[in-house]
Amino acid sequence: MPKVSLQSADKYVHFTFHFVFTWLWFLYFESRKNELGNSKTIFLVFLLSFLYGISVEIMQGLFTLTRKADLFDVLANTVGALTAAASILVFQKYIRKEKSL
């Protein structure tokens, strides 16, 4: 069977992880009925995902011998978190529209 390789598959993993991570944090905060408000909650979960991604990359660069920090990993993490935040906003707009009908 021919081998199929996907260039930069690692970046897709980073994107997907932070997309799901951001959504799960949002759902957690929403389930807790926090007093932040919707837009502040979305910003908070984006910020948590962003800071987590940066801190992991920094720790890889400082504390491991077999791994290195990668700016493109941070970019993939950030794009995944931003895409999740945007999809949350679109999803909520759709839900509000459906409830008003």
Side-chain angles (χ1 to χ4, degrees):
M1 300 235 342
K3 245 187 181 179
V4 177
S5 67
L6 187 59
Q7 265 188 328
S8 302
D10 175 54
K11 304 310 177 242
Y12 295 112
V13 172
H14 281 268
F15 173 90
T16 303
F17 174 82
H18 280 270
F19 181 87
V20 172
F21 184 65
T22 302
W23 259 102
L24 291 175
W25 269 107
F26 176 77
L27 293 173
Y28 169 75
F29 281 115
E30 284 296 301
S31 73
R32 303 280 305 193
K33 298 293 182 203
N34 64 62
E35 285 106 35
L36 290 174
N38 189 40
S39 60
K40 288 183 182 177
T41 302
I42 294 170
F43 178 74
L44 174 66
V45 297
F46 166 76
L47 188 63
L48 286 171
S49 182
F50 177 73
L51 293 175
Y52 178 76
I54 287 177
S55 64
V56 167
E57 291 302 318
I58 290 171
M59 287 187 285
Q60 282 182 20
L62 293 176
F63 303 121
T64 66
L65 298 174
T66 58
R67 305 212 28 138
K68 62 182 179 116
D70 185 356
L71 185 60
F72 290 111
D73 285 350
V74 173
L75 182 61
N77 298 343
T78 304
V79 172
L82 278 173
T83 305
S87 68
I88 291 166
L89 289 170
V90 168
F91 182 73
Q92 287 187 331
K93 186 176 181 179
Y94 174 77
I95 293 297
R96 278 191 217 114
K97 183 179 177 184
E98 287 293 316
K99 285 183 178 178
S100 68
L101 292 178

